[in-house]
Amino acid sequence: MLILGIDTSCDETAVAVVADGRQIVSNIICSQIDLHARYGGVVPEVACRAHVEALLPAVDAALEKADVTLSDLDAIAVTTTPGLVGALLIGLSTAKTLAWSAEKPLIAVDHIQAHLYSPHFEHPALEYPYVSLVVSGGHTALYRCRSPLEIQRLGSTLDDAAGEAFDKAAIILGLPYPGGPSIERAAREGLPDAIRFPRSLLGRAGFDFSFSGLKTAVLYHCKGQNAAKGDGLLPEVSVPDVAASFQQAVVDVLVEKSLAAAQACGVKMITMGGGVTANTLLRERMTERGGEAGINVRFPSRALCTDNAAMVAGLAHHLLEAGQIADLMVDAKP
Ligand code: KG4
Ligand code: ZN
């Protein structure tokens, strides 16, 4: 079964062809990072215009790379939620048009559920049930997964997502966008225990997260208690030490909450997905702490951690098998 997947939920124009929900036949990702870098974050209107330009060439490239035509496909899948509404609509109207004109079923995919599915490509023996952490620029949440479609949310961030905290801390430190990779790079020269930043909600019952206090702590540490947006760093501030201590605080919370969730659910497997999962300290710490607790940890390669359409087409295989075909009137839900 061959499915074409489309994801335009945020700032990546992504199209992929996946066979049988497992094998990635083509995976095209047009990044917009350079367009948004000078604004320090994704500008929705800029993202939409870039999607309009990039999407049809990306569809052509994905089909060509897979050496198939539209008529060879079994379905067209598209992310309909969550995301920037304008960006989602561009992918959705394109997918509807392709599905209608080629007379193929349309499959509506939840972007978060697709991130949850992403470890399955490189770990085909991965078995349910497991607990999964989705941690990206827009989301930080823990899920209990019993199958690709049976997913229960255990907790999520009450304010900022972890990736958003990375991006905002990087702005405070004057590091380039996107913040995650630049903080990770700066942290290599710093001490993770130089500054004791808060680990919000750690040790408390429940599986919710909070990162806005940490962001404020970084701001006050770097610019002083009465800091204004444009202020420079205090003279004694060491950017590598702040980066390393900040990264350690985020990773400690993500790892310990995930372990607690796995233990509470009685499962022996933790998976991860989303852009922040590209972080080396997070990957190493989760594996190490999981090992100590007798819990296996699986995550995708870095290319499948960040936004892509292979995860959309992969999950769509299971939705199609379950008969969950979308009506052409389906709408985008931001
Ligand atoms: O999943 P994703 O590509 O897009 C969303 O759905 O949000 O995640 C992007 C987020 C950004 O906040 C970025 O700073 C973060 O993932 N990120 C990282 C790393 N690489 C990307 N955060 C920490 N360490 C990294 N190496
Ligand atoms: Zn994402």
Side-chain angles (χ1 to χ4, degrees), residues 9-12 111 115 135-139 162-167 177-182 184 247 273-280 302 305-307:
S9 57
C10 190
D11 61 336
E12 250 104 34
H111 181 85
H115 271 305
V135 61
S136 72
H139 309 275
E164 192 181 352
F166 267 98
D167 293 336
Y177 174 85
S182 22
E184 177 163 18
Q247 178 177 252
V276 180
T277 314
N279 186 275
T280 305
R302 284 185 171 75
C305 286
T306 44
D307 288 350

Side-chain angles (χ1 to χ4, degrees), residues 15 55-65:
V15 185
L55 186 50
L56 287 179
V59 169
D60 285 341
L63 291 172
E64 196 176 314
K65 183 115 195 285

Side-chain angles (χ1 to χ4, degrees), residues 37-163:
R38 66 186 172 127
Y39 304 106
V42 177
V43 183
E45 181 62 18
V46 173
C48 289
R49 287 170 192 222
H51 284 311
V52 168
E53 278 181 22
L55 186 50
L56 287 179
V59 169
D60 285 341
L63 291 172
E64 196 176 314
K65 183 115 195 285
D67 198 18
V68 296
T69 63
L70 278 179
S71 61
D72 298 321
L73 299 171
D74 293 286
I76 312 283
V78 62
T79 297
T80 55
T81 191
L84 303 170
V85 70
L88 288 168
L89 280 172
I90 291 158
L92 179 55
S93 13
T94 305
K96 283 180 182 178
T97 310
L98 291 174
W100 178 76
S101 59
E103 297 180 6
K104 304 289 177 187
L106 178 72
I107 314 284
V109 176
D110 179 310
H111 181 85
I112 303 300
Q113 293 185 5
H115 271 305
L116 290 169
Y117 187 76
S118 60
H120 285 271
F121 292 110
E122 291 147 325
H123 303 285
L126 180 59
E127 279 184 17
Y128 293 92
Y130 53 71
V131 157
S132 191
L133 172 71
V134 173
V135 61
S136 72
H139 309 275
T140 301
L142 278 162
Y143 299 86
R144 174 192 214 150
C145 304
R146 293 196 174 85
S147 77
L149 308 181
E150 286 173 288
I151 296 162
Q152 175 199 358
R153 193 169 76 184
L154 300 169
S156 65
T157 183
L158 303 174
D159 39 60
D160 291 354

Side-chain angles (χ1 to χ4, degrees), residues 162 165-166 169 183 197 214 218 241-251:
F166 267 98
I183 293 228
F197 284 127
L214 171 61
V218 170
D241 281 352
V242 174
S245 303
F246 165 84
Q247 178 177 252
Q248 189 67 53
V250 175
V251 167

Side-chain angles (χ1 to χ4, degrees), residues 15 27 50 75 123 149 194 205 222 233-235 237 243 247 258 267 278 287 321:
V15 185
N27 188 20
H123 303 285
L149 308 181
C222 292
L233 299 180
L234 296 171
V237 170
Q247 178 177 252
S258 303
V267 302
T287 307
E321 270 189 346

